[in-house]
Amino acid sequence: MTQNVLILPGDGIGPEITAEAVKVLNKLVETDGLDICMEEDLVGGAAYDVHGVPLADATMDKAQAADAVLLGAVGGYKWESLDISVRPEKGLLRLRKEMGLFANLRPAFLYPQLASASTLKPEIVAGLDILIVRELTGGIYFGQPRGIRILENGERQGFNTYVYSESEVKRIAHVAFQAAMKRNKKLTSVDKANVLEVTEMWREVVNEVAKEYPEVEVKHMYVDNAAMQLVLNPKQFDVMVTGNMFGDILSDEASMLTGSIGMLASASLDANNKGMYEPSHGSAPDIASQNKANPLATILSAAMMLRYSLGREDLAIKIEEAVGKVLDQGLRTGDIWSEGCTRVTCSEMGDAVVAAL
Ligand code: IPM
Ligand code: MG
């Protein structure tokens, strides 16, 4: 049966990078019997400009009805002064929340060809393969109450609430333990249990869930230490599990170990593996519309989509191998370029991946 994929290019470099991922998917439709139907719609600032909101209800309905969503990126200078309730980012957050995409998988995998593109020494990052499991629909991103209020003395006070219920921690812990079981059976749970009660409870719940996975070696780490350990000795990590905000921060940090944030794919899944797939990077407005961006994170996100939501692990592997081949050929966008390599544009990179398929 034909599966429906909703493509949401978004803002900044979003349209350029998703166009390359669509090229790759179309190639698989032609040559490998991939049976999907793709439809495009607006999200973020692009949606705001047309509808006055960063995600129209009709688009939300399409996302709910689709088998998977592939998203580029949202946000840009143009929309920075808008009220926070209609900022481009709210479109993305609404999709995550209403689709119930609580489990965000962000693999930080170093292609051996890119060891010298990392800002860290090659011996520190060679062989790196970390999976960050970030809770995506709770924590301080969504906690109530939130806002900016006026105190009695007339001063403004901004406030957010960091909350997790036990069931929210449990379900993300299960996702992380199950992922660890398929990998090297090591899990690091990241918290700030020395200061924040919400993460003290997080730690207790992770320990309870751990009893169901006796083969997995569990460690707990404070987030400040985890940030340091990621640059000191990143290869100590296999799977890391953490809350929404810590995961946001640590996944950007981890991505740079792999050479560039332009390489980091992600999957956001609900309880039934329905998902939204997006590069972990942002909309990079400074290089938008210049055909310079690295489309590989989006292409690799399409691979994750084939793996987790569309039941085509074979084609996911095929894309990942094709990406390896273009890197072997020495092709590099600016963000991963180094001496002796060939600098290519965003669309040339997409064409090269299609050719390698
Ligand atoms: C990410 C992004 C988003 C987040 C923004 C764009 C809302 O940084 O996906 O990591 O904070 O989750
Ligand atoms: Mg982020």
Side-chain angles (χ1 to χ4, degrees):
M1 219 182 65
T2 306
Q3 291 176 301
N4 292 309
V5 176
L6 179 65
I7 309 281
L8 299 174
D11 309 320
I13 59 170
E16 301 156 55
I17 54 178
T18 40
E20 300 313 311
V22 167
K23 251 190 216 170
V24 166
L25 289 167
N26 274 327
K27 167 78 178 169
L28 296 174
V29 168
E30 278 166 36
T31 57
D32 289 79
L34 175 64
D35 191 8
I36 57 169
C37 168
M38 290 183 268
E39 187 188 349
E40 254 188 47
D41 208 339
L42 301 172
V43 68
Y48 177 82
D49 288 347
V50 174
H51 303 296
V53 285
L55 187 80
D57 290 341
T59 312
M60 188 68 238
D61 292 344
K62 279 186 206 170
Q64 296 282 20
D67 293 291
V69 179
L70 184 68
L71 185 140
V74 297
Y77 312 129
K78 186 178 166 193
W79 304 283
E80 267 168 18
S81 55
L82 288 179
D83 185 79
I84 198 165
S85 63
V86 289
R87 287 253 188 93
E89 290 78 2
K90 281 284 181 207
L92 179 59
L93 295 172
R94 181 177 174 199
L95 282 161
R96 290 175 179 171
K97 189 71 175 174
E98 292 189 21
M99 291 174 73
L101 309 175
F102 69 90
N104 185 212
L105 311 183
R106 298 191 160 184
F109 171 79
L110 180 81
Y111 277 88
Q113 300 91 327
L114 294 183
S116 62
S118 174
T119 48
L120 296 192
K121 296 191 190 91
E123 63 267 29
I124 302 287
V125 293
L128 182 95
D129 183 1
I130 301 175
L131 177 67
I132 297 187
V133 178
R134 168 188 176 193
E135 200 291 327
L136 202 61
T137 52
I140 198 164
Y141 269 52
F142 293 95
Q144 295 289 348
R146 63 191 296 160
I148 299 172
R149 59 193 163 206
I150 313 282
L151 297 177
E152 269 169 29
N153 67 4
E155 194 193 0
R156 288 187 312 153
Q157 184 186 54
F159 59 101
N160 286 89
T161 305
Y162 191 176
V163 282
Y164 271 117
S165 64
E166 269 185 287
S167 57
E168 286 176 307
V169 182
K170 245 184 219 159
R171 65 181 182 178
I172 195 71
H174 277 291
V175 169
F177 276 104
Q178 280 159 20
M181 283 300 290
K182 289 190 199 146
R183 295 170 46 106
N184 290 328
K185 302 193 168 74
K186 274 169 46 182
L187 178 65
T188 307
S189 173
V190 177
D191 61 37
K192 189 71 187 174
N194 50 344
V195 179
L196 303 173
E197 288 84 351
V198 46
T199 67
E200 186 189 353
M201 189 202 79
W202 172 287
R203 189 179 280 220
E204 286 166 14
V205 174
V206 169
N207 280 333
E208 276 164 35
V209 174
K211 292 180 192 146
E212 297 177 44
Y213 304 87
E215 285 174 58
V216 177
E217 178 197 322
V218 188
K219 251 195 197 162
H220 299 276
M221 210 177 258
Y222 298 140
V223 62
D224 48 350
N225 185 28
M228 183 188 74
Q229 295 294 333
L230 267 175
V231 285
L232 179 72
N233 175 18
K235 282 187 271 181
Q236 69 183 285
F237 297 112
D238 176 22
V239 179
M240 300 176 89
V241 63
T242 191
N244 206 342
M245 184 165 65
F246 295 162
D248 178 44
I249 298 166
L250 293 179
S251 60
D252 264 33
E253 188 189 5
S255 73
M256 276 316 293
L257 308 174
T258 72
S260 165
I261 193 165
M263 295 299 297
L264 199 71
S266 88
S268 306
L269 304 175
D270 74 1
N272 305 308
N273 277 356
K274 180 170 158 179
M276 180 161 80
Y277 299 82
E278 44 174 323
S280 292
H281 60 71
S283 59
D286 53 323
I287 59 161
S289 308
Q290 297 172 38
N291 198 16
K292 267 189 189 169
N294 183 350
L296 292 179
T298 315
I299 290 172
L300 292 167
S301 298
M304 291 185 89
M305 173 173 86
L306 291 165
R307 170 172 294 126
Y308 292 108
S309 292
L310 303 182
R312 292 299 302 263
E313 169 81 22
D314 58 327
L315 298 183
I317 294 172
K318 198 166 173 176
I319 292 178
E320 288 158 358
E321 286 175 354
V323 169
K325 278 186 214 160
V326 304
L327 296 176
D328 283 338
Q329 291 159 13
L331 306 182
R332 304 281 189 273
T333 42
D335 58 315
I336 49 175
W337 183 82
S338 62
E339 208 61 45
C341 295
T342 311
R343 196 185 280 266
V344 295
T345 62
C346 178
S347 56
E348 285 167 346
M349 187 60 110
D351 291 340
V353 174
V354 168
L357 283 170

